[in-house]
Amino acid sequence: MIQYIVTGMSCAACSARVEKAVSKVPGVTSCSVSLLTNSMGVEGTATEQEIIKAVKDAGYGASKKGEGAAKVQPAQALAGEDMLKDRETPVLKRRLIASVGFLIVLMYFSMGHMMWGWPVPGFMKDNHVMMGLLQMLLTITVMVINQKFFISGFKGLIHRAPNMDTLVALGSGASFVYSTYALFAMTDAQMHGDMDAVMSYMHDFYFESAAMILALITVGKMLEARSKGKTTDALKGLMKLAPKTAVVIRGEKEVQVSIEQVQKGDCFVVKPGENIPVDGEVIEGNSAVNESALTGESIPVDKAVGDKVSAATVNQSGYLKCRATRVGEDTTLSQIIQMVSDAAATKAPIAKIADRVSGVFVPMVITIAVLTIIVWLIAGQSIGFALSRGIAVLVISCPCALGLATPVAIMVGNGMGARNGIMFKTAVSLEETGKMQIVALDKTGTITSGEPKVTDIIPAAGVTEDTLLKCAYALENKSEHPLARAILENAKEENAGIEEVTGFQALPGNGLTAILDGHTLYGGNHTFISSKVSVDGDIQKKAEKLAEAGKTPLFFGNEDRLLGVIAVADVIKEDSPQAIKELQNMGIHVVMLTGDNERTAKAIGQQAGVDEVIAGVLPEGKEQVIRKLKEKGKVAMVGDGINDAPALKKADVGIAMGGVGSDIAVDAADITLVDDEVKELPHLLVLSRRMMFTIKCNMSFSMGLNFLAIVLAILGILNPVVGALVHNAGSVLVIINSALLLNWKKE
C-alpha cells in the first residue's frame, strides 16, 4: 500500500469525492481515504503521478507520505510522523485570533451602538450609511481571513462535489450579499431623504451574522483539530520511546552511534534505565526488561542469554550485551508504526454508510435551504426573514460529525490496541473482530506452550528416582528427538549432571540404546521397551492413564530390568483455560484444531475447556476445517506457525500469536498479538466491540442532531448564529465520545 497526504478536505463529502476520483484511475485496485488523518492508501499498478493528478482534478491537493524527509529515517517512522503531525491547529489558531479581533469591532458597531447606544466617533453618529459601510469592510476582512471556506466551498461546487465548506460559504456569502444589497438600497433611500426606509433597511443588515458564522465555524474546526490530536496520544507516546542512538561495540570499544548506523549482526550494550535501541538477542548478562510499551503488561520480563529483546522496551536492572537481529524498518516498533499507519489509511465497512450519506447530504441540504426560503416567501414573510431561515439550514448542517464518526473511533481503538500489544492491519479487521461467533485455536503454541515438559516421574519398584533420571538424562542427551529436549530441560532445572554414554544408537521402532558404566540402557515407547525387558502390570496401567491424560509416557530400562517411566507433555499455558472461559462467556464457540490423535487431543481440550475438539487435522486440512466452520458463523482463526497461514487467510479474521516479525503466519494474519498469550483474545474482542458501540453512537448522534437541527432551523427556532454553534457542537461531541476509548484498559 502506498500512502499519500491529501490537503483541502473538510468533511466526509470531500473524502468520498477523492476516493471516487482515485478509484477511477486505471490500475487502482483499492483506495481508502481517511478524513481524520488526511491520508489516503492506494493499492494497484497506477503511478504516483496519475494518482496525484486525479486528486488535483477533483479539486484537492496530494503528495506522497514522507516525501522530502530525510532518507536515513525508516519509512515506517516517517509514515507514523506524517500521520500524527498536527498541521491544522496552528493555522486555525492564527485565523481565529485575527477573525475574533475584527469581529469584536464589528459587533460593537452593529449591536453595541445600534441596540444599546454605545458611543461612536462623532462623524459616524447618525450616519447610517457610514455605519453600514464600516460593517461591510469589517465583514470583508473576516471573509478574507477565512477565505479557505470560500475557495474550498466554491471549488467543490464547480466540481459538482459540494462539501461542508460549500454550506458555510453559501450561508455566509448569502448573508453578506443580502446585507450589501440592503446597504446600497439604504444609500439610495438616504439620498432621496426617505429616512423611514433608511431605518427599515438597517434591520436588514446581516453583516455580523456573515462574519460570526465564519468565526464560530473556525472555533469548531480548531477544537476539532485539537481533539483529533488527543486521539493519537497513545501512538505518540509509543513513538517517543523510539531511541535515537545506540551504544555498539566497534573493535573492543563502546561507541555511541545514531540508530540508523546500527547494522544487523552488530553487538550493542544496554545499561540499566536505557531503552533498547533495536531488536536483538541477549548474548551476555541478564536483566528485567519493561515491555509495557509494546505489550501493555506492566510486570517486567526477565531476560537471560538467548532471549529476545525488542526496540523501545526499557532495561530496568542489569547490564545487557545483545546482537542486533532486526534493525531499521524490520524492528518490532517500526512494524507496529507501519501497521498503525496502514490501518489508519483503510476504511471500515461501517464507514461506507457515512460515505453514502455524505455523498447526497450536502446537495440535499442546499435543496432544503432553497425550498425553505421559497416556502417562507410564499407564506408572506420578508426576504430577510426567509433568507435567515435558509442560511440557518445551511450553516447548521454538519457533515463533519458524520464523516468523523467512524475514523476517529477507529484511530483511538487502533492506538489503544497498539499500546496494549494488539496490532490491527486494517480497519476492517478492527470492526470484524467484534462480530466473531466462532474462534478456532491451534493447539501447539497457542493453547499449549509448544515446548514439551516433564510432567510425571514414575520409578519402577526397587528403583530410586535419581537412578531413573540419571539414566534418562544420559540417554536422551544424545537424541535429537523433540521429546528428548524436555527431559534435558528438566535436567537443567534440577542442576543435574549428565554423564557421557558410548555406543549410542537411535533404533527403528521409537527406541534408543547406549552404554553407561558398562550397562546397556534402553529408552522409548512401550512396544520397544517391552521387547527388551519385562514391564509389570502396575507400571503399564499408570502409563495408560498418562496417555489418556494427553501425555506421552517414555519407558527406560537396562539389560536387567525396567527402570521406570517419565511422562512428557506439551503443557497448557497457565492462562489458556481462563481465557477460553471468558470467550465462552462472551458468546463465542471455541474450537481446538490439532494434528494430534483424538485421545490426546480430547484430553488437552478437556483441560483447556474448549467447546469442540477437531483432531487429526493435517496442516493442509486446517483451511478446509475453517471453510466448514464458516458455514456456521463468523470465524476467527488463531495460530502461530507457518502451517497455520492458509487457515489464517481463509478465516474471516486471522490472528497471529507472538510478535510482529517477518513470519509467514504474521503476514497472512489480519491481527497480530505481540504477547504469545491466549489471554489477549478476550481483550481483543472487548476492544473491537466497544469501538463498534462508540461508532454506532457517533453515527446515531450525528444523524439525529442534523435532522433535528435542520427541522428547528426551517421553523425559525434556530437562527444562523446559533446554527453555527450547533454545527460545531456536533463535530466536537463526536470526537470527545470517541476519545473516551482512551480510558480502555485490559482487565
Side-chain angles (χ1 to χ4, degrees), residues 8 80 92 104 158 163 173 177 185 215 260 332 348 418 430 462 495 500 520 654 686:
L92 289 168
I104 290 172
I158 293 168
N163 52 39
V177 170
E260 295 82 17
T332 301
L430 185 53
N495 292 318
E500 285 290 324
T520 303
V686 169

Side-chain angles (χ1 to χ4, degrees), residues 148-279:
K148 183 181 178 297
F149 289 123
F150 297 93
I151 295 170
S152 172
F154 288 117
K155 189 183 286 186
L157 207 57
I158 293 168
H159 285 90
R160 293 181 295 177
N163 52 39
M164 186 212 75
D165 288 347
T166 306
L167 299 179
V168 175
L170 287 174
S172 178
S175 297
F176 177 80
V177 170
Y178 181 73
S179 300
T180 303
Y181 159 76
L183 176 61
F184 279 99
M186 176 196 284
T187 305
D188 181 71
Q190 185 158 323
M191 289 176 66
H192 290 86
D194 188 353
M195 296 309 296
D196 290 336
V198 170
M199 298 305 294
S200 176
Y201 282 122
M202 281 191 65
H203 296 292
D204 288 338
F205 283 173
Y206 291 97
F207 287 121
E208 75 280 358
S209 294
M212 189 169 287
I213 287 168
L214 297 174
L216 288 175
I217 298 297
T218 303
V219 170
K221 296 291 279 183
M222 192 182 77
L223 291 173
E224 185 182 305
R226 288 178 67 89
S227 299
K228 282 182 189 177
K230 291 291 182 184
T231 65
T232 60
D233 280 352
L235 295 177
K236 288 174 182 175
L238 179 62
M239 293 180 66
K240 285 177 182 177
L241 290 175
K244 301 296 187 291
T245 61
V247 178
V248 299
I249 298 175
R250 298 277 192 258
E252 295 184 0
K253 293 184 178 180
E254 295 182 2
V255 183
Q256 188 175 65
V257 299
S258 64
I259 200 71
E260 295 82 17
Q261 293 178 278
V262 181
Q263 303 292 319
K264 187 177 180 180
D266 282 351
C267 288
F268 62 90
V269 299
V270 189
K271 297 175 183 177
E274 294 181 346
N275 286 356
I276 293 169
V278 297
D279 292 6

